[in-house]
Amino acid sequence: MSSNSTMPTPPNPRSSIAEERANPSFPVRELTYWIDGGHRVTELKERIMLELERDPLWRVSDHPNLSLAETRERAMSKIRRLADLATSRPLEETMIRMSIISVVDPGFWTRFGVHFGLFFGALQGQATPSQMAYWMDKGALSMQGITGCFGMTELGHGSNVAGLETTATLDEKVDEFIVHSPTLTATKWWIGGAAHTATHCAVYAQLIVKGQCYGTKTFVVQLRDTKTFALMPGVNIGDLGKKMGRDQIDNGWIRFTHVRIPRSHMLMKHTKVTRSGEVIEPPLAQLAYGALIQGRVSMVSDSANVAKRALTIATRYASVRRQFGGSVSAGAAETKLIDYPIHQYRLLPLMAQTFAMIFTAREVTANYEKLMGELSDLGEAKDAAADDVIKNLKETHATSAGLKAFCTWMCLNIIDQCRQSLGGHGYSAYTGLSQAYSDFAVHCTWEGDNTILTLQCGRYLVATALDARKGQPLPENLSYLKGAVSATGGLSDRACKGDSAEQVSSLDTLKAAWSSVAANAILNAVRDFEAGLGKGLSKDDAYEFSSASRLHAARMHTYTYLLHRFAAQVDQSPTALRPVLTLLAQLFGAHSAVQHSGEFLQSGFYTGPQIETLKGFVSHACSEIRKDAVSLTDAFNYTDYVVNSPLGRFDGDVYEKYFELVTSLNPAKPVPYFDSLIRPLLERTNETEAGPELEIDEE
C-alpha cells in the first residue's frame, strides 16, 4: 500500500439503518394497522410478543445448541401454560398468539397444534353434538385427561387417503370396532405426538361392515392408559427420531393389532353406523371436504408470516452491510448492499411476493370462514341453496389447494434467497434463516403434497372450463375467464395496446395479461385432456395424460389469483398507502411476468419489445421500493425477539450482537477429544517397519 493511502471508514451500522428510516413515503404505523386488520389487533399482537419475550420459558436464542432430547423437553414445558391460556382467553387472542408462536418457535407450534388443531379439529369437524360433548367431558379441549394426535399417514400411504390400509371392522356381537394394521405399510407413520405425548389418536381407517368396505372414516382410539401411561393392549408405538426440522415434535409410528374400541368412538357427523350394522351415508358427501380446507388456508397465512421474518432479516442486514465501492484512498465508506441494483433485484421482488401472500391470505381466510358458516347452517338441506354452498365448497377446496402449494413453495424460496443474501453469515445457525428453511420445508409436503394438490387444482380448472363451455356460470375465482376466452371457446384476441412503460406495467394491464396467460394455460390443459379422451382413455386416465399441462395451468391460475387479490386490497387500502402498495402490486405482476415471459409471448398479449420494456420497469420499481425497503419491513412490526437474528435487529447493531451471541453460547473450554485424538495425531512419528527390498528392472 502506498504511503498516502487512507484506512477505509469503519462501518457504523446504527447510523446506516437510521438513514433508511429518515423519510418514508408512507405512514409506517398505518401500514402496520392495514396489514394486521386494525390498531386493536396490532396492539394485541404487541402485547403478546412482549409477554413471550419476558417469559423465561420462551427463550429462543439458544435453540441452535439444544440436543434432540432438550429440544423436546423445552417444548413440553410450554404446553401446560399455553393450554391454560387457550382455554381461558378469547378465541381471537389464542389464534393471534398461535400465529406469532408459529414464527417464534414453529416446532412447538406444531406440537401444540397436533392436539388443538388436528385432534380436536377432527372432533369439531366430524363428531356429532353428543360425541363432542362426551369428548369435551373427557378433557379433549383443556388437555386434562386427554392429549391427542392425528393418525392419517401410513408408512405406505400419504396423499392417497382413500388408499390407507388400516382397517376398522365392526363386530356386531359386542358393538365394537376392531382397529388393525394388516401389513407393515399400514403402520401409522409421521404421527406427531405419538412417540411421547398422546393418550388418544384420531385414526383414519377403512370402515368395514358385514364384509363391505365403505371407505376411509375417522375413529378415536386410546393409545395409552391415562393414569400409568402404559400402552393399551394391541398398541405398539415407536419414535421416528431426528428430522430435518421441527424436532420439538415427537413424531412416532403406531401399529394396531386387533385393538377394540366402542362403536361410538367412530366419529359420525357424516357417515353413521347403527347398532345393527346399518351404514347411513351423508346426503352431501362433499361436506367432509370442509375439514381439509382449514389447514391449507392457515398455511397461506403462515407462508406470509414466515416470509415477513426472512425479509426483515435480509433487508435490514442489506441496509447496514457495506461491501466494495467507495474510495479507499479518500477513506470513504463502502457501499451498502441495498444500494447495488442487483441486490435490489434479488430481494425486492420477494418483498412484493410477500405482500401478495399477506393480502391473499386475508381474503381466502375470510372466504373460508364465511363458507364454514354456510355449511354450519346448511343441515340436511338439498335445495338450490345447498347446491350453491357445495359449489362454493368445491371452489374453495381447489383454490386453497393451489394457494397452499404455491405459497409454501414461494415462501421456502424466499427464506433461502434471503439466507443466501446474507453471504457466509447466512450459513450460521445463529443468524436465523438456516433453521427457518429446515423448519418450513415440511409445509411443502404435509396437509397434502404440493404437486398432488396442484394437480387437484388443475383438475378443477379443466372441469370448470368444460362446464363453462356447456353454459354453466363461472365461479368467482375464475371470473377473469369471461374476458379472456372468446365466444367460440378459444383465447380472446386481447393484447397490450401501448408500448410505454406506463402502459405495459399498469396494474389493469398486468391483471389482463395474467388473465390471458392463465386462460391460455387452462385451454391447453383442456385440449390435452380431450386428446386423452380421443385416444380412448378413461376420464381418470385422460386427466393423468394431461397432468403436466394441468400443473402448469394451476401455476398460472394461482399467480393470476394472487395478483387479482393483491389489486383488490390495494383498491380498498387507505389513500396514504395506495402509492407504495400499487407499486408493490405492479412489481409482483411484472416480475412474475418477466420470469414467465414465454407464456405472455405465446398468448400474444405482449410482444418481445414490450417484454423488454417490462424488464426495465421491474428495475425501476426495485429502485423506487428500495427507498422504503426498511420502512416496509418495519411495518411488519416484528420485535427483535420474534425476528430472533442479530442480523435483523431494529437498531442495526448487527456485529456487536452477533459476536455477543456466538461467544456467549460457545464459551472457551478445553477440547474434549484433545488427548484421545488431536495429541496422537500431532505426536505420531513417521517411522515404519522396513519392508522387503524390491528389485527394479534395469533397462
Side-chain angles (χ1 to χ4, degrees), residues 184-503:
L184 175 66
T185 50
T187 304
K188 292 297 179 182
W189 204 262
W190 287 120
I191 310 306
H196 294 171
T197 315
T199 61
H200 291 68
C201 184
V203 176
Y204 281 68
Q206 300 289 348
L207 169 65
I208 299 175
V209 178
K210 298 179 181 179
Q212 183 175 345
C213 181
Y214 288 88
T216 305
K217 313 300 176 189
T218 311
F219 304 79
V220 179
V221 181
Q222 187 168 351
L223 304 178
R224 294 178 169 97
D225 186 289
T226 57
K227 303 298 183 185
T228 67
F229 219 59
L231 292 176
M232 299 299 288
V235 176
N236 297 98
I237 292 178
D239 193 333
L240 291 184
K242 186 76 175 170
K243 304 182 293 293
M244 180 178 176
R246 301 196 187 225
D247 279 330
Q248 292 88 336
I249 179 70
D250 52 324
N251 293 87
W253 57 263
I254 310 172
R255 296 192 79 186
F256 302 104
T257 305
H258 304 296
V259 176
R260 290 181 172 269
I261 62 172
R263 177 178 55 86
S264 61
H265 285 199
M266 172 183 163
L267 301 182
M268 299 192 195
K269 182 176 182 179
H270 302 298
T271 300
K272 297 174 173 59
V273 178
T274 67
R275 175 70 178 84
S276 63
E278 180 186 4
V279 179
I280 303 172
E281 298 280 20
L284 299 172
Q286 302 97 323
L287 296 181
Y289 290 161
L292 298 174
I293 298 173
Q294 182 177 9
R296 297 170 184 176
V297 169
S298 70
M299 277 191 276
V300 179
S301 297
D302 203 39
S303 297
N305 290 335
V306 173
K308 287 191 291 185
R309 174 176 177 256
L311 276 161
T312 298
I313 295 169
T315 303
R316 288 179 178 172
Y317 181 68
S319 300
V320 302
R321 175 71 170 187
R322 293 179 180 273
Q323 197 86 324
F324 304 112
S327 173
V328 174
S329 61
E334 294 177 275
T335 302
K336 293 180 181 181
L337 292 184
I338 196 69
D339 283 330
Y340 287 103
I342 192 61
H343 210 78
Q344 296 167 14
Y345 192 86
R346 192 176 192 180
L347 289 183
L348 299 182
L350 307 182
M351 183 83 74
Q353 291 173 15
T354 299
F355 272 92
M357 289 191 287
I358 290 169
F359 294 132
T360 299
R362 173 187 293 178
E363 284 209 17
V364 77
T365 300
N367 291 342
Y368 167 76
E369 291 172 351
K370 178 184 176 184
L371 174 64
M372 290 300 101
E374 293 172 348
L375 288 174
S376 178
D377 296 339
L378 192 58
E380 302 294 323
K382 298 182 183 179
D383 55 12
D387 290 341
D388 288 340
V389 173
I390 294 301
K391 287 178 182 177
N392 290 339
L393 177 61
K394 290 180 178 179
E395 176 184 346
T396 305
H397 184 265
T399 299
S400 65
L403 286 172
K404 182 270 181 185
F406 288 105
C407 288
T408 55
W409 272 330
M410 192 177 287
C411 179
L412 191 65
N413 179 64
I414 288 172
I415 295 169
D416 195 47
Q417 292 303 312
C418 288
R419 183 195 64 79
Q420 291 185 45
S421 78
L422 303 180
H425 296 322
Y427 198 64
S428 171
Y430 304 109
T431 54
L433 293 183
S434 59
Q435 189 61 52
Y437 185 91
S438 297
D439 284 337
F440 193 83
V442 70
H443 272 54
C444 299
T445 307
W446 65 11
E447 292 284 344
D449 173 83
N450 278 3
T451 299
I452 300 299
L453 291 183
T454 302
L455 289 174
Q456 288 180 9
C457 180
R459 183 171 181 141
Y460 166 80
L461 295 174
V462 170
T464 303
L466 289 171
D467 287 342
R469 186 188 292 174
K470 299 172 185 175
Q472 294 292 322
L474 286 166
E476 180 62 30
N477 70 339
L478 283 169
S479 58
Y480 62 81
L481 290 177
K482 294 174 184 175
V485 177
S486 69
T488 59
L491 195 65
S492 295
D493 185 19
R494 294 203 302 176
C496 180
K497 302 302 182 185
D499 294 322
S500 69
E502 291 76 13
Q503 293 169 312

Side-chain angles (χ1 to χ4, degrees), residues 20 358 471 512 618 637 672 680:
E20 299 294 327
I358 290 169
V618 169
N637 203 34

